[in-house]
Amino acid sequence: MMRSIAILSVFSISGLLVAATATFAADRPNIVLMMADDMGFSDLGCYGGEIETPNLDALAANGLRFTQFYNTARCCPTRASLLTGLYSHQAGIGHMTANTGNPAYQGYLNDRCRTIAEVLAPTYRTLTVGKWHVGGAEGQWPLDRGFDRYFGTPAGGGFYFREALEFRKGFVTQGNIKVEYPQNAYVTDLFTDHAIEFVAEAAGDERPFFLYFAHIAPHWPLQAKPEDIAKYAGRYDAGWDEVRAARFAKQQSIGLWPQSTTLSPRDPQAQAWDDLPDEKHADLAHRMTVYAAQIDNIDQNVGRLVSRLQELGEWDNTVFLFLSDNGCSAEGGPGGFRRGDQSQPIGTPTTYASLGLEWANVSDTPFRRFKMSTHEGGISTPLIVHWPAGLGRQGEFERQPGHVIDLLPTCADLAGIDVGTPAGDSRMLPVEGRSLLPALRGESIECDAIYWEHEGNRAIRAGDWKLVAPHNQPWELYNLAEDRTELRDLAKDDRERVIALRTRWQKWADRCGVAPWPVKKPK
């Protein structure tokens, strides 16, 4: 299965990676780790969506789809955990990029963690494109944290065309140098141009390459190319209730969920589509049209990158992973917000609008809640894994849980690199995740527990049991094996389990530096 590769991984009973040793031949794999921004669980065709994503669907059909993979519920913390293999508070990004004076909430990666690029740098070319968002000040950018090449926006996203970049007062860099954003560029195309350039350069190197490609899309503002918007004209006129039901039916038909799974009700803040005045339908349907166009364009560019890797002869031994940083965003509430140029239709360069809560509810089908929540709708992500030369499973679902903290140890395992604490450096925190490589082979992996906290929203998953609570609200208890959509709260019926899981969560929170929300700067 693993051409010229022999791997032995040793794990502690707690599920934390203790050591990994491996011997690799010269053909150890390239790795492409691609992440969408604010894309919901069901948006891809291979996860139940009606949006046309043939390139990603083909990767899923010839690879694996995880059904229980998790992020951290928000962009900055997810990036921190993905890059370091730590919980985000441990890496210094317990919230976003503001520095509160608390080490767990300093807003940029600290010096107690190693990034995935710093781990892989001895044997890999390390490349990154897109949204960084784990340190916006100079000295905190990708080249300062182990990457060889970078093109993107260090301080965050929120733009597609030049007009939106200027509206946001943002900037892009080539390496550590700020550069002009091309006049007529569309950001997903532009990032892919540079990704293709970087891998073409790396293909001539004796070392394999690691490419971390962090999209801005489909994060608001809703902006897409006219031809992509036109492709979806009229497709959402039936409204969110019908589209959500169709997505769930497709998920059931492709075997994503057990037949006993129940679709969560429409979010309490969302009205029934048919109860809305007719004059609102066109605006609301158009928002989803633009959102679909943004995701369609991601898929088009996946196809461009794959084709170039095939031309370079690098594709067969490239591990390709695709996920999202959090659930879909309900920012703007019901109907979404609209800023910018009011005279132009949403989707054009001078407009600035969001999708809205109701369509986000569709995007996160079949789950409750959204980005920022630690309920399943906020933290569940697709994860597609494709590897022609090393993955002996095609079109299968992988139903074991995983988390973004597992991606660094997985990539290190692929590269044959030990991710234990560097000898003599007691400041460095041990990696919290564990390699998913056994799961890719169809073997079982141990996982003691997974933890979350964001803006006071908190959760722990241990086995099939999940304890979860919104900020300042009571704990809820769910058996995810029987109730993945979190509809039957068992907290009152099983107080002993609630207390045990709550105690474990608090010990984790204390160990990782979680502070009460809102976090206040010391006086």
Side-chain angles (χ1 to χ4, degrees):
M1 179 190 303
M2 303 280 293
R3 184 180 58 185
S4 303
I5 299 176
I7 298 175
L8 173 64
S9 298
V10 182
F11 300 91
S12 71
I13 193 169
S14 69
L16 302 183
L17 183 63
V18 174
T21 58
T23 55
F24 279 72
D27 62 350
R28 62 189 181 276
N30 305 309
I31 303 169
V32 175
L33 177 52
M34 182 179 288
M35 187 162 65
D37 193 348
D38 281 12
M39 189 190 78
F41 186 87
S42 71
D43 284 328
L44 303 179
C46 56
Y47 276 85
E50 71 295 323
I51 301 171
E52 296 180 30
T53 55
N55 294 295
L56 287 164
D57 294 350
L59 297 182
N62 292 287
L64 288 178
R65 277 167 286 179
F66 278 68
T67 64
Q68 300 193 80
F69 201 78
Y70 290 110
N71 48 52
T72 74
R74 192 76 176 272
C75 46
C76 298
T78 288
R79 285 161 173 74
S81 288
L82 179 153
L83 285 164
T84 67
L86 300 173
Y87 287 105
S88 62
H89 308 77
Q90 295 173 296
I93 304 183
H95 184 234
M96 298 288 280
T97 55
N99 190 341
T100 68
N102 181 322
Y105 298 83
Q106 69 180 28
Y108 60 93
L109 296 179
N110 61 32
D111 60 2
R112 301 194 67 199
C113 62
R114 290 182 296 163
T115 70
I116 195 167
E118 289 167 335
V119 169
L120 297 178
T123 51
Y124 273 68
R125 288 285 299 274
T126 54
L127 321 168
T128 184
V129 171
K131 178 177 174 179
W132 180 240
H133 219 194
V134 287
E138 293 186 37
Q140 302 168 359
W141 297 350
L143 299 194
D144 304 304
R145 296 307 307 243
F147 284 96
D148 298 321
R149 298 294 307 274
Y150 175 57
F151 180 88
T153 176
F159 66 91
Y160 291 84
F161 298 101
R162 181 169 177 158
E163 291 87 342
L165 180 66
E166 293 170 349
F167 181 82
R168 290 275 291 182
K169 296 181 172 58
F171 62 93
V172 295
T173 69
Q174 176 92 46
N176 284 341
I177 307 300
K178 293 183 181 180
V179 295
E180 285 293 316
Y181 191 83
Q183 183 63 50
N184 297 312
Y186 186 73
V187 75
T188 311
D189 297 338
L190 182 64
F191 286 169
T192 306
D193 291 343
H194 286 274
I196 288 172
E197 175 190 340
F198 290 173
V199 299
E201 290 175 357
D205 197 301
E206 292 183 357
R207 295 173 293 168
F209 63 79
F210 169 76
L211 170 65
Y212 169 47
F213 190 157
H215 285 285
I216 285 174
H219 191 293
W220 48 262
L222 296 169
Q223 294 184 344
K225 298 193 293 186
E227 61 268 29
D228 293 333
I229 296 173
K231 183 176 179 179
Y232 290 90
R235 292 206 194 185
Y236 296 100
D237 290 352
W240 43 69
D241 293 318
E242 185 171 314
V243 175
R244 190 166 186 257
R247 287 194 178 192
F248 183 64
K250 183 177 177 181
Q251 290 176 336
Q252 294 289 76
S253 71
I254 64 177
L256 192 61
W257 311 123
Q259 288 301 310
S260 59
T261 303
T262 301
L263 175 66
S264 63
R266 183 195 318 113
D267 189 86
Q269 295 186 70
Q271 285 186 264
W273 180 263
D274 290 341
D275 291 346
L276 292 168
D278 289 343
E279 59 268 21
K280 289 190 174 182
H281 285 164
D283 170 75
L284 295 169
H286 182 67
R287 289 175 188 250
M288 186 62 193
T289 297
V290 180
Y291 179 81
Q294 294 176 153
I295 292 175
D296 188 302
N297 187 260
I298 291 175
D299 187 77
Q300 294 172 40
N301 280 288
V302 168
R304 289 178 59 210
L305 179 58
V306 169
S307 294
R308 186 63 179 130
L309 290 169
Q310 290 170 336
E311 292 168 1
L312 294 167
E314 299 285 351
W315 179 241
D316 284 352
N317 202 30
T318 294
V319 181
F320 195 106
L321 305 102
F322 183 92
L323 72 157
S324 181
D325 65 345
N326 44 248
C328 189
S329 170
E331 288 161 287
F337 65 71
R338 177 162 188 181
R339 305 166 191 153
D341 190 344
Q342 303 290 314
S343 68
Q344 297 297 313
I346 289 174
T348 48
T350 58
T351 61
Y352 211 90
S354 70
L355 183 61
L357 175 143
E358 301 93 343
W359 287 116
N361 196 195
V362 173
S363 180
D364 293 333
T365 302
F367 303 125
R368 296 169 51 203
R369 306 305 296 153
F370 318 96
K371 171 184 177 180
M372 296 183 249
S373 168
T374 52
H375 284 81
E376 295 290 284
I379 60 177
S380 297
T381 173
L383 175 65
I384 299 170
V385 184
H386 182 273
W387 183 15
L391 193 63
R393 304 165 68 190
Q394 291 189 338
E396 297 182 29
F397 293 113
E398 177 51 62
R399 301 191 186 277
Q400 297 184 85
H403 187 274
V404 286
I405 58 174
D406 300 328
L407 294 176
L408 182 149
T410 301
C411 292
D413 207 355
L414 288 164
I417 295 173
D418 184 351
V419 293
T421 302
D425 193 346
S426 60
R427 295 177 307 118
M428 306 302 289
L429 295 171
V431 167
E432 296 272 345
R434 82 281 200 226
S435 174
L436 299 173
L437 200 52
L440 303 189
R441 299 195 197 104
E443 302 168 9
S444 62
I445 51 176
E446 294 183 12
C447 179
D448 181 50
I450 307 171
Y451 303 86
W452 292 266
E453 189 279 334
H454 182 70
E455 294 190 349
N457 303 312
R458 54 212 188 275
I460 172 177
R461 174 171 177 166
D464 291 325
W465 290 95
K466 181 180 176 187
L467 192 70
V468 58
H471 182 225
N472 283 337
Q473 297 297 314
W475 289 100
E476 304 164 13
L477 179 68
Y478 299 99
N479 182 342
L480 296 185
E482 300 175 356
D483 181 23
R484 182 69 193 280
T485 49
E486 301 174 310
L487 301 180
R488 298 184 294 278
D489 180 6
L490 304 175
K492 292 181 180 179
D493 301 323
D494 198 345
R495 296 303 302 169
E496 185 175 338
R497 194 183 303 274
V498 169
I499 292 168
L501 290 174
R502 183 183 66 198
T503 300
R504 292 179 68 182
W505 183 89
Q506 190 61 56
K507 288 181 178 178
W508 166 82
D510 293 342
R511 177 172 65 84
C512 292
V514 175
W517 182 259
V519 179
K520 299 178 181 178
K521 287 189 175 184
K523 294 181 180 179

